[in-house]
Amino acid sequence: GAGVSQSPRYKVAKRGQDVALRCDPISGHVSLFWYQQALGQGPEFLTYFQNEAQLDKSGLPSDRFFAERPEGSVSTLKIQRTQQEDSAVYLCASRRNRLTGGKNTEAFFGQGTRLTVV
Amino acid sequence: DQQVKQNSPSLSVQEGRISILNCDYTNSMFDYFLWYKKYPAEGPTFLISISSIKDKNEDGRFTVFLNKSAKHLSLHIVPSQPGDSAVYFCAASRYGGNTPLVFGKGTRLSVIA
């Protein structure tokens, strides 16, 4: 498709279970971002890739969170030993690289994966 | 510490009138600002943006104003339509770099017919 695709749309995990969330960015988009959105809050930055390189992971809340983008397209966000506080919507966004001359471009978001840890 | 603040959690406006959504930021390194619109169960969709070299950007019914000295921006929707009812997020980043967007908490706009 033409947009950012995330799967699954909904995930219910038992506390302590590992989960993997997938993001298919827009074809050709160099930059990929993961965000976490808790109920009633704005999206909070988790991590950022440029192609396959993870350039910023400062937003990952703990070492239970791991993200990869091995071939510079599809990305996976993995959460190990899930806790109830991990319950949130996880959003993926992609952005084509800045145009020649430094013009910034907007990020396009997927529909998100709603994770509920019970 | 919230770098991007939307102090109004909700706003109700009558159809046909102007909607004004406000956003304040604290980080003086931000120089590119965006507004996103979000419907329930969907991801945010880009609405309009502005760079710090401008003080106004207009796209149809949507206009964004930037006051750099006050570190304040606003989104005007004229005329408001029921389909505009959604949560609006203000976001900021550094211009020209692939830096992440920093979001506010959002303002829920309800346009009443």
Side-chain angles (χ1 to χ4, degrees):
Chain A
V4 178
S5 177
Q6 291 188 246
S7 60
R9 287 293 311 277
Y10 303 93
K11 176 69 179 177
V12 178
K14 290 185 178 178
R15 193 172 59 172
Q17 185 181 350
D18 297 350
V19 298
L21 312 179
R22 178 188 169 103
C23 173
D24 279 272
I26 294 172
S27 177
H29 277 197
V30 170
S31 301
L32 185 146
F33 303 85
W34 282 99
Y35 285 83
Q36 179 191 61
Q37 186 176 15
L39 193 63
Q41 303 293 315
E44 297 271 350
F45 169 75
L46 294 177
T47 186
Y48 154 60
F49 291 86
Q50 186 163 333
N51 296 306
E52 69 279 1
Q54 190 174 19
L55 298 187
D56 188 343
K57 55 182 181 179
S58 62
L60 295 176
S62 78
D63 58 7
R64 296 186 295 104
F65 287 71
F66 172 77
E68 60 183 4
R69 193 186 185 198
E71 297 178 0
S73 57
V74 171
S75 177
T76 304
L77 176 66
K78 297 179 179 177
I79 310 173
Q80 297 176 323
R81 304 181 303 281
T82 52
Q83 304 293 318
Q84 283 191 316
E85 62 263 26
D86 300 335
S87 296
V89 174
Y90 290 85
L91 294 164
C92 175
S94 71
R95 184 169 70 189
R96 59 190 170 93
N97 216 345
R98 55 185 173 145
L99 301 174
T100 301
K103 182 180 178 181
N104 210 335
T105 63
E106 68 271 17
F108 293 88
F109 282 84
Q111 291 181 299
T113 294
R114 179 177 295 279
L115 172 66
T116 304
V117 181
V118 298
Chain B
D1 179 33
Q2 274 254 296
Q3 297 186 70
V4 178
K5 300 178 184 177
Q6 293 177 258
N7 292 321
S8 297
S10 62
L11 175 68
S12 287
V13 172
Q14 215 161 11
E15 182 180 6
R17 305 295 291 268
I18 184 171
S19 295
I20 300 176
L21 295 93
N22 293 303
C23 177
D24 297 289
Y25 62 96
T26 57
N27 190 338
S28 58
M29 297 298 289
F30 290 148
D31 48 13
Y32 188 65
F33 305 91
L34 308 89
W35 285 93
Y36 280 81
K37 178 179 179 179
K38 187 180 183 303
Y39 292 117
E42 293 186 12
T45 55
F46 170 75
L47 197 56
I48 193 169
S49 64
I50 189 168
S51 74
S52 59
I53 60 174
K54 296 184 176 181
D55 55 17
K56 176 183 173 181
N57 189 26
E58 194 171 352
D59 183 2
R61 296 185 298 115
F62 302 91
T63 302
V64 56
F65 294 92
L66 175 63
N67 183 333
K68 279 184 63 181
S69 61
K71 294 192 179 68
H72 177 84
L73 64 155
S74 60
L75 174 68
H76 292 209
I77 307 173
V78 183
S80 302
Q81 298 174 354
D84 296 330
S85 298
V87 177
Y88 288 78
F89 290 99
C90 172
S93 75
R94 294 180 62 177
Y95 187 78
N98 286 306
T99 54
L101 299 175
V102 179
F103 285 84
K105 291 189 177 183
T107 296
R108 181 177 299 279
L109 174 65
S110 299
V111 180
I112 304 161

